[in-house]
Amino acid sequence: MKKILVANRGEIAIRVMRTAEKMGIKTVAVFSEIDRNAPHVRFADEAVCIGPAPSNESYLRGDKIIDVAKKLNVDAIHPGYGFLSENADFAELCEANNITFIGPKSKAIKVMGSKLAAKETVKAYNIPMVPGTDEAITDISKAKEIASGIGFPILIKASAGGGGKGMRIVENEAEFESQMNRAISEAKSAFGDGSVFIEKYVTSPRHIEIQVMADTHGNYLHFFERECSIQRRHQKVVEEAPSAVLTAQLRDEMGQAAINVARSCDYVGAGTVEFLLDDDHNFYFLEMNTRLQVEHPVSELIAGVDLVELQIKVARGEALQIKQKDLKINGHALELRVYAEDPMNDFLPSVGHLDVYRLPEGKNIRVDNGFEEGMDIPIQYDPMLAKLITYGETRDEAIQLMLKAIDNYHVEGVQTTLPFGRFVCEHEAFRSGNFDTHFVKKYYSADLLEEQHKIEAEIAAKIALKRYLEEQKLLRFSN
């Protein structure tokens, strides 16, 4: 494997290219017209424009990407995450053109891409499941009957869904019909598929996921868990590894369950198995993401591995050299997704110009970044600028370093989730480890963040005044 095309943009494109460079593999970037001057374009050995700004005319055009790959004699394509990373047709298109797709086979992508098919597939391995329907449903009266049997509150979820779309929590029978109609409508709009299913709503869930890796020689590994319960709109913002609440026994059980999920669909490459953990520490299979996750760096730091390097080696047909017994958790890692969003205004996108953009530096601070000072943030794509990752020997150390890194991350021109990251890291519920996926709903508000800003501004003003008075005193003495 001498040349890889990275079918993505921003921080993940650069992340993949860095590992390829380390391995002596040449890289090809693809870019839309609006990304012509983006850092990932300059980082690659070669770069080709594949269309206008909208992703359905550029980054989602598998045919154009394959054409570029063939013209430049590319051996493999790494899809990153998002865009074509979980597109089974694109994986098949790569195979048909003798180009290695750095990811699982199309069969695994298809099976795990449907939540219902995934549930059916893993049944034989006795993976714990949340009580609910085994098949898609659109008949509202029948669905209401099933929901009453399971017991409220229940969750309606789009079968083809993700990112919180087509998902509705129903507290009682009276609101069931309206919520069901909304879920079906949203699922049709977002995924072209209105089928939904119903499951018991776990009232205080934690979102725990297990990083897995499998090769073509029958070897399966897990790299422990990630805690991903700090979310807004069902999407993660703060992740950490390991979780503050898993015992060694529970970690082993969940790790083995994740490996069994991977076995159930003959999985190859890097994947993530997501679970819900309830109040009593019972865990339930949620879904499998058949790609590299945004939050993979925290697993890399605690396990001491380069997951992209392992992906590439597996794609080359190599056997995994690591054994499960050799893997140990070392230290603690924390990640904040730095989105161009306004946490004071319901986390709405904050597009604009990066007038100031300076990254924090230092030991055990890692920034997977895709932007530079002076750039515009395009409205056409996900608004994530970078991932800020800190590592410490203990959880407290990682949190303190994150607070320091946030202070030294300077952005002007757009609003970001950096202040929200500070709010989380300073909150007692987070610091104690006693939180769930309702953290934002329970504890966060724009008013509280505003209050925090005022207090910080007052402290800063007092420190500045004290320094000024001390300097004046020194000047009087010297005169």
Side-chain angles (χ1 to χ4, degrees), residues 5 10-11 36 65 82 85 122 126 171 175 220-221 255 269 279 315 322 346 387 404 441 460:
L5 183 149
E11 63 84 18
R36 188 171 297 278
I65 291 167
S85 63
V122 304
N126 295 319
E171 301 287 352
E175 63 181 49
Y220 291 84
L221 294 172
D279 273 350
I322 311 165
D346 200 26
K387 297 174 327 201
K404 181 184 173 185
K441 190 163 86 173

Side-chain angles (χ1 to χ4, degrees), residues 41-103:
V41 176
R42 293 200 307 277
F43 194 96
D45 296 295
E46 298 173 85
V48 179
C49 183
I50 49 168
S55 54
N56 63 357
E57 295 179 50
S58 51
Y59 295 107
L60 289 172
R61 287 292 301 271
D63 55 339
K64 288 186 177 182
I65 291 167
I66 294 288
D67 282 347
V68 171
K70 286 164 78 174
K71 280 174 188 165
L72 297 181
N73 297 314
V74 162
D75 302 302
I77 293 177
H78 195 302
Y81 52 73
F83 295 133
L84 296 169
S85 63
E86 293 179 284
N87 186 308
D89 293 338
F90 181 66
E92 286 175 358
L93 198 58
C94 290
E95 290 163 20
N97 285 278
N98 296 315
I99 297 166
T100 301
F101 178 75
I102 302 177

